[in-house]
Amino acid sequence: MTALSYAARDSVTMLRRNLKHALRYPSLTLSVAAMPVMMLLLFTYAFGTALGNGINGLAGHAVGGPGYIDYVAPGIILMAATSGALVTAVGVCVDKTEGIVNRFRTMAISRASFLTGHVIGSVIQTMVSIAVVIGVALLVGFRPTAGPTQWLAATGLLTLLTFGLTWLSAAIGLVARTPETASNIPLPLQFMPFLGSAIVPTSSMPSGLRWFAEYQPFTSIIETLRGLLTGTPIGGQAIAAIAWCLGLTLVGYLWARTVFNRGATR
């Protein structure tokens, strides 16, 4: 067997370990979906009519009254991807603080397999949570106009975003000293969509906040997802969204690999 095949075999073993852990503790997967589902219900039934009527017609969005759910659902779906980051950071940090990482380092296994298994397992876990959020959105009135091609593109975009956020969270889990710290550091990622176009169009915001909202990463991703699912104009947002996702993946991967290798030399 070549070094690459050994690495692939060890990574599959680590992936199986993480998936078994997710099956043994399904509450972790459900907790990723819980917050977005609560936000969806809150912004649909409590604030939906007022927000929809207030922003109706802004930035080309006709969202008045009950139609607001078609505007807010793509942003809430994206929030499920950011919520998965917390679980990944905590899982990696628990393995580190309980000494499992050091135990793996003494074994004759590929060094890259630990992070690879964690990341792929967390991506699968988060995508399951996203499917749960989409299912609830459909049940409460979300009516996307997307065809099979648009759904496939939306799934690819969400997978790419989840992949980038998971690598970033793995690095956070490695640098955090305790699981409690690891659970707090990713919180800004969960609330960044609120400072974009997830809840209201950026054109309704004050000028300073509007500039930040228009150029932060999640706005282009939300607008691309919204365009794919509901047919609103996407323009150049798709290129920016893919660029942001690839950038997050590259930064997260290099950071996680550097921290993991630095720990091995201590």
Side-chain angles (χ1 to χ4, degrees):
M1 294 180 71
T2 64
L4 184 60
S5 60
Y6 274 119
R9 184 199 62 183
D10 293 340
S11 296
V12 170
T13 302
M14 290 294 177
L15 171 61
R16 191 182 305 124
R17 168 182 176 266
N18 285 286
L19 291 180
K20 284 184 176 179
H21 189 267
L23 289 173
R24 186 170 298 175
Y25 303 101
S27 58
L28 289 175
T29 303
L30 294 176
S31 67
V32 174
M35 182 179 175
V37 167
M38 290 174 61
M39 290 293 177
L40 178 68
L41 298 178
L42 182 68
F43 282 100
T44 299
Y45 293 115
F47 307 136
T49 301
L51 285 172
N53 289 332
I55 64 177
N56 193 22
L58 287 175
H61 298 292
V63 296
Y68 180 67
I69 189 173
D70 289 333
Y71 177 86
V72 77
I76 299 295
I77 292 169
L78 181 139
M79 287 179 64
T82 62
S83 297
L86 186 148
V87 175
T88 306
V90 172
V92 171
C93 189
V94 167
D95 278 351
K96 185 190 73 169
T97 55
E98 290 185 348
I100 297 175
V101 175
N102 289 332
R103 179 74 181 96
F104 286 150
R105 282 172 176 150
T106 65
M107 300 170 66
I109 61 175
S110 168
R111 182 171 295 179
S113 62
F114 171 74
L115 287 176
T116 304
H118 248 300
V119 167
I120 297 177
S122 296
V123 168
I124 294 173
Q125 194 174 355
T126 304
M127 293 306 294
V128 170
S129 301
I130 289 174
V132 171
V133 175
I134 292 175
V136 173
L138 292 173
L139 286 175
V140 298
F142 178 46
R143 295 294 177 265
T145 58
T149 303
Q150 287 78 18
W151 272 109
L152 189 62
T155 303
L157 179 63
L158 286 169
T159 304
L160 190 59
L161 172 65
T162 302
F163 196 58
L165 291 175
T166 303
W167 272 115
L168 201 63
S169 304
I172 291 172
L174 288 171
V175 300
R177 292 185 180 276
T178 65
E180 289 77 14
T181 305
S183 68
N184 291 329
I185 296 177
L187 285 179
L189 290 175
Q190 291 183 272
F191 288 97
M192 282 282 281
F194 286 102
L195 300 179
S197 61
I199 307 302
V200 297
T202 57
S203 57
S204 67
M205 299 177 180
S207 57
L209 180 59
R210 184 193 310 167
W211 182 90
F212 174 79
E214 288 177 348
Y215 293 102
Q216 63 123 317
F218 290 114
T219 294
S220 59
I221 300 171
I222 292 169
E223 289 301 316
T224 303
L225 188 62
R226 183 174 288 130
L228 290 171
L229 296 182
T230 65
T232 56
I234 296 177
Q237 299 281 12
I239 296 175
I242 294 172
W244 275 116
C245 290
L246 293 176
L248 285 171
T249 303
L250 181 63
V251 170
Y253 170 74
L254 293 176
W255 187 18
R257 193 184 69 171
T258 301
V259 175
F260 188 79
N261 290 337
R262 188 171 57 199
T265 60
R266 290 177 179 172

